[in-house]
Amino acid sequence: MSYRVLKFGGSSVASATAMSRVLDIVEKEADNGTVILVSSAISGCTDALLDGGPKAIVQMQKRHQDIVKRLFTGEERDEIQARIDGLFRELAVTPKDEQVTFGELLSTTILAAKLQQEGFNAKWLDSRKLVVKDNQEETYSRIKEAIEGAEIYIAPGFICQDGEGTVYTLGRGVPGIMTANPKQVPQARTIPTMTYNAALQMASHGAKVLYAPTVAPAMEAGIDIEIKNTFAPEGKYTVIGKEGPKGWIGVASQADTITVVGQGEDGIPRAEKALLQEGISALSIKETEAGVELKVRQKVLEQALRALHRAFFQELPTAEIGLFIAGDGAVAHALYNMIKSASENVEARTGKRLTIVGKANSKRYGIDLTGHPVINTQGSYVDAIINVAPKGSVVVDCTNSETLYKRYTDLLEAGIGVVSSNRRSFAVPYPEFAAMHAAARENGVPLRYETTVGAALPILESISRGANSSDEVTSIEAVVSCTLNQILGDYLPGRESFASMVRRAQEAGLTEADPRMDLGGKDALRKLLILSREAGVRLEERDVKVEPILPAEAFKGSVEDFYAALEAYEPELARKADAASAKGERLRFVAYLKKNGKAYEAGIGIRSVAPEHPAYYLRGTENAIIVRSAFHPYPLVIQGPGEGAREAASSILNDILR
């Protein structure tokens, strides 16, 4: 004959609805053979009987009667209510140390009556007369004699008697085995299979699992134990048996002692690393038969449990990020190489897997969602991206295109993020700038462009954080023209003309294709617009007073005409440089924004700076940003390399991963 022993904890029978769910499970199992239903007291009852006092017991009586009212009607309701009231009268005259045993008697009396009412041949068994403490042979004999003739047997858990008839409790536990106590570690998960010994180790080291002595009979007979959730009976559950996975099983705690149950060569090092990352020092740590045992201060116990569980039992979910890269220059190629070499480290540190699924130059593109794009297709790269991009994809603009940014809003509205190093994109009229940000917010996707000012320097993020926290920016000074900073820093009148130095910089690729963009302040102007907008100032190009190195007439005509004008202007440039040197100062090309009353004024031009100014000591293509704000008495100074393909690629990668 087939027997199914089903044990339900207190939360499973806590109400009429919960009991109905239990009865559905039991009745379904009865189709497959004889069922033995073992139940705990309704949740809270045992605690109330232990130390709740008379008022708590009255409340428990009402809870049981409420359950009866919901489950029964008519004469059957009157009958079972009388039986429940009778048990409470019996409880009132029972010695205090035995009162705790009545919770299971009450719950199982209700369950048995309901099964009988529904037509099942159900028999209630008194566990006090069946289970003999410390006498397994007699217990088995009594149970074998009692199990005969019924479809379903209902028996109280938790209680027994000794050979003299004195009633005892067996001990308390909570069914359901997880990798940790979910009340302490929300990420705890169900353990699908485990051995009897692993279950006993978890229980003996503080895990809220099966009461250890109940495992022994099943272990001796080789019977599997299934532990399910009453509230999701078809969901995940644990099977305890002879076989189970090796390795680490779970983490449990008692007082200040934590045990990572299981076996593995890396136990102590992994545990120490997990605690170190949380800034926790173990008072002691050692290997035991059960696994790794460590002691921590009580106040960091739960933090330590979560850290250990994360290190031993949690696989961080990997976010797949498909990258559609536009650009075929030095920055794009540096980014390709950086992603290729750093992808494993990035995934390990951030849980994000980066895959380049699209590439494009100015004429063609290629898309391959498996990660092997080849640039061989003509047409609209953006339209193709919108048609195929998976959720979480990012377009990376490494170009100087004057048209690609006009499609940013289309990409953002399609749920595709944008990371850009193209400063043209964000020096557009403010309504267009704001529209891009609105599209990003409304569609929950990133729009980032840290690289547009200062390459790898964290300039924009620093400014926007202050603005977002209501810290009003009162001034910004920005030395952000790498070309002019290097030329002005090296310029010595009489050694080489300024025009000759600019020409060499152009040949070395340090200027824009048209060097007038640098010397006319156009590049610095774009950066100043972006900086101001991050500070919350709606600056437009017309609001900025630009003082180019040469008069406006010099910027007309061809590039060669410009160089000729620059040579002719050499005496004036030499005069300015000598005047600065005579005062112990240096020339710098500075873009500025400063508050004047309630309004802001902005400008760009050559300034002579003294040694106490942060820009005085800049070398080569270094950039410097000096930000003053209402909340802070001292300026924020950000200084460092403002040029370089690898630096820019690094900043782009950070934007992708933020």
Side-chain angles (χ1 to χ4, degrees), residues 477-481 483-489 491 493 498-499 502 518-522 524-525 544-551 555 562 566 569-581 583 585-592 602-610 613 615:
E477 292 178 275
V479 181
V480 289
S481 175
T483 303
L484 281 174
N485 192 50
Q486 179 163 344
I487 294 172
L488 287 169
Y491 178 52
F498 198 86
V502 173
D518 297 284
L519 273 71
K522 188 68 173 181
L525 172 61
V544 183
K545 181 182 178 181
V546 180
E547 301 176 36
I549 287 180
L550 299 178
F555 290 87
F562 170 74
L566 192 55
Y569 201 66
E570 177 67 18
E572 178 62 20
L573 289 171
R575 185 192 65 76
K576 290 181 178 180
D578 288 339
S581 180
K583 294 188 295 183
E585 298 180 349
R586 292 172 177 168
L587 296 181
R588 294 288 182 258
F589 195 62
V590 181
Y592 68 87
I604 301 171
I606 289 182
R607 282 180 53 190
S608 180
V609 299
H613 194 283

Side-chain angles (χ1 to χ4, degrees), residues 3-6 192-196 199 210 214-227 237-244:
Y3 291 95
R4 297 281 288 169
V5 180
L6 307 182
T193 60
M194 63 193 310
T195 64
Y196 300 117
L210 286 177
T214 66
V215 178
M219 182 167 61
E220 291 177 9
I223 299 171
D224 287 352
I225 301 172
E226 293 180 3
I227 305 175
Y237 59 94
T238 302
V239 177
I240 302 173
K242 293 180 180 178
E243 304 295 331

Side-chain angles (χ1 to χ4, degrees), residues 176-187:
I177 302 183
M178 304 184 77
T179 50
N181 182 346
K183 292 181 179 179
Q184 296 172 310
V185 183
Q187 295 79 17

Side-chain angles (χ1 to χ4, degrees), residues 214-484:
T214 66
V215 178
M219 182 167 61
E220 291 177 9
I223 299 171
D224 287 352
I225 301 172
E226 293 180 3
I227 305 175
K228 296 189 176 186
N229 182 349
T230 306
F231 303 100
E234 304 303 323
K236 295 179 180 180
Y237 59 94
T238 302
V239 177
I240 302 173
K242 293 180 180 178
E243 304 295 331
K246 297 180 180 179
W248 302 106
I249 304 300
V251 57
S253 66
Q254 286 180 311
D256 62 351
T257 302
I258 300 173
T259 303
V260 184
V261 176
Q263 298 295 328
E265 295 180 359
D266 60 343
I268 289 181
R270 197 193 298 193
E272 289 178 328
K273 181 179 179 181
L275 295 184
L276 181 63
Q277 289 174 339
E278 292 290 317
I280 299 172
S281 296
L283 302 176
S284 67
I285 185 167
K286 62 182 180 181
E287 290 185 355
T288 68
E289 181 182 353
V292 175
E293 180 184 291
L294 50 112
K295 291 182 180 293
V296 297
R297 288 173 292 124
Q298 187 66 41
K299 67 178 183 180
V300 298
L301 178 71
E302 291 197 7
Q303 184 184 358
L305 280 169
R306 290 191 292 269
L308 292 166
H309 188 273
R310 185 164 55 247
F312 283 84
F313 305 107
Q314 288 175 234
E315 292 185 8
L316 296 177
T318 299
E320 301 283 349
I321 302 178
L323 302 178
F324 295 86
I325 300 176
D328 197 31
V331 173
H333 285 283
L335 182 61
Y336 295 148
N337 294 332
M338 194 169 290
I339 291 172
K340 182 179 179 180
S341 63
S343 58
E344 289 187 8
N345 184 52
V346 165
E347 184 175 345
R349 289 176 61 87
T350 69
K352 297 177 180 179
R353 182 178 297 126
L354 304 180
T355 305
I356 298 172
V357 295
K359 293 182 178 181
N361 56 32
S362 60
K363 297 179 180 179
R364 291 180 172 82
Y365 70 86
I367 293 176
D368 180 359
L369 298 183
T370 66
H372 302 89
V374 177
I375 300 176
N376 58 10
T377 304
Q378 290 184 318
S380 171
Y381 187 35
V382 171
D383 287 341
I385 292 171
I386 291 173
N387 286 334
V388 303
K391 183 179 180 181
S393 298
V394 174
V395 169
V396 184
D397 182 0
C398 298
T399 75
N400 288 318
S401 170
E402 297 181 17
T403 58
L404 179 56
Y405 73 85
K406 296 178 181 179
R407 301 296 307 277
Y408 284 3
T409 300
D410 295 334
L411 291 164
L412 296 165
E413 289 178 346
I416 301 165
V418 173
V419 170
S420 176
S421 63
N422 183 356
R423 65 184 62 96
R424 297 174 188 267
S425 311
F426 304 97
V428 295
Y430 188 83
E432 296 178 37
F433 175 88
M436 288 188 283
H437 279 272
R441 288 194 303 271
E442 290 168 4
N443 293 280
V445 290
L447 174 64
R448 300 187 182 118
Y449 43 93
E450 184 69 65
T451 321
T452 57
V453 182
L457 300 178
I459 295 171
L460 301 184
E461 183 180 4
S462 299
I463 292 175
S464 64
R465 281 183 176 179
N468 292 342
S469 61
S470 301
D471 185 9
E472 182 184 43
V473 170
T474 56
S475 74
I476 297 175
E477 292 178 275
V479 181
V480 289
S481 175
C482 299
T483 303
L484 281 174

